[in-house]
Amino acid sequence: MHVPRPLPRGRRPLPDHAEGPHVRPDGRHRRRAHHLLPEEIGGVRNWDYRYTWLRDAAITLSSLLRTGYREEARAWREWLLRAVAGDPENLQIMYGIAGERELGEAELDWLPGYENSGPVRVGNGAAHQLQLDVYGEVTEALHLAHMTGLARNDYASLLQLKLIRYLEKHWDEPDEGIWEVRGPRRHFVHSKVMAWVAVDRTIKLIESGDADGPLEKWRELRDDIHRDVCERGYDKERNTFTQSYGSKELDASLLLIPQMGFLPRTTSV
């Protein structure tokens, strides 16, 4: 008979979706093993997912912190710092689980694929896409680590400041966004909102006295992003935010707007 050992006080059982190959002792995180399994039988959307997406991993870090898994969260933060190597100019949206950067995509024509679903791909061409929301997801995770009392890491604070300096120059550019579109870049509203999140959380870090930065300049930047989203990403006729500037499509990722503190849950734009 197996009797599970008691968890430390304040620590909850690890959710099922975080078990298995996802979280490793050295902090590496990866999606479930979906390699060679298509989105639909006979379809062509057959991607290689054997990597660590920073967005997914940052959300996992937040979940670990909220459920008391501080050591696992600390290990992931250390992995992040090693993988990014303090260079936001070359930040990738995903890495190999050992921090590899070269994830070039190729099609294996000689493999039929699961239930003849092809083409079979290795590597992932989305690795070098511009997805501005990732900067917000990573900054939010680092901010939560700081707020929950995870041991201070000066490199993490330095990385956070560098991410904002990058966003200063690039937040108003179109990108491929959370949906990793393989087509023309767009001004995705979710990407702009998460850029706002990155700036907002870094301002809070500076206000706490744990980092130095141009506070007034970044407060203006935060206001500029907020104004831009509300003016260009909101459909006044239908009373809703849209997926991208000038589009009519809706986007489920925008349900995060109140959760991220961009707007109150009950408000009018």
Side-chain angles (χ1 to χ4, degrees):
M1 178 178 177
H2 173 67
V3 179
R5 61 184 177 84
L7 292 169
R9 185 174 182 179
R11 180 166 168 169
R12 303 175 187 175
L14 194 63
D16 291 340
H17 62 268
E19 293 180 347
H22 289 60
V23 182
R24 295 164 177 260
D26 58 2
R28 293 178 292 170
H29 165 281
R30 72 178 183 188
R31 291 184 175 185
R32 286 198 181 275
H34 288 313
H35 184 227
L36 303 183
L37 294 179
E39 291 187 9
E40 60 180 352
I41 300 300
V44 298
R45 300 179 65 82
N46 200 2
W47 312 113
D48 187 353
Y49 287 127
R50 298 172 297 169
Y51 306 111
T52 296
W53 267 252
L54 291 191
R55 179 189 301 108
D56 300 51
I59 294 171
T60 299
L61 171 61
S62 298
S63 298
L64 290 170
L65 286 166
R66 289 188 173 98
T67 51
Y69 285 82
R70 298 167 63 83
E71 185 58 30
E72 290 84 351
R74 184 201 60 78
W76 183 85
R77 185 182 65 181
E78 299 305 314
W79 178 91
L80 169 68
L81 296 175
R82 292 194 303 270
V84 176
D87 185 8
E89 289 287 340
N90 293 310
L91 182 74
Q92 295 185 185
I93 66 159
M94 71 179 83
Y95 295 87
I97 59 173
E100 301 94 335
R101 290 175 170 267
E102 296 302 321
L103 311 177
E105 185 175 305
E107 296 183 2
L108 306 182
D109 296 333
W110 50 276
L111 280 177
Y114 182 76
E115 295 287 341
N116 292 313
S117 303
V120 173
R121 296 180 177 91
V122 292
N124 199 306
H128 297 291
Q129 287 186 349
L130 176 63
Q131 297 180 18
L132 292 170
D133 69 289
V134 170
Y135 291 80
E137 300 287 6
V138 170
T139 302
E140 168 72 356
L142 294 175
H143 173 72
L144 183 60
H146 176 75
M147 295 300 294
T148 55
L150 200 64
R152 179 172 173 172
N153 185 306
D154 290 335
Y155 289 108
S157 299
L158 181 61
L159 171 62
Q160 193 168 336
L161 295 173
K162 287 185 175 182
L163 293 177
I164 303 309
R165 294 191 181 101
Y166 177 85
L167 284 176
E168 276 187 291
K169 302 175 183 177
H170 301 282
W171 73 268
D172 57 351
E173 297 177 6
D175 69 337
E176 280 87 4
I178 188 174
W179 304 116
E180 299 184 359
V181 296
R182 297 202 174 197
R185 289 180 174 179
R186 309 173 199 170
H187 288 281
F188 284 103
V189 174
H190 175 258
S191 295
K192 309 298 186 190
V193 169
M194 293 311 297
W196 178 91
V197 168
V199 178
D200 179 71
R201 303 314 190 254
T202 304
I203 288 172
K204 287 179 168 58
L205 179 69
I206 297 170
E207 290 174 338
S208 72
D210 290 320
D212 295 317
L215 197 55
E216 290 305 317
K217 180 181 180 182
W218 286 350
R219 283 172 177 161
E220 290 181 10
L221 175 61
R222 179 177 61 181
D223 291 344
D224 288 344
I225 298 173
H226 196 279
R227 186 182 310 109
D228 191 68
V229 170
C230 292
E231 290 179 355
R232 302 176 63 195
Y234 187 77
D235 186 335
K236 293 182 179 180
E237 292 183 3
R238 295 188 297 164
N239 195 32
T240 183
F241 286 97
T242 59
Q243 185 179 66
S244 60
Y245 290 177
S247 74
K248 293 295 184 181
E249 291 84 2
L250 303 183
D251 190 339
S253 67
L254 299 181
L255 294 172
L256 290 171
I257 283 178
Q259 184 176 331
M260 292 292 105
F262 184 83
L263 284 173
R265 296 184 183 276
T266 55
T267 189
S268 59
V269 177

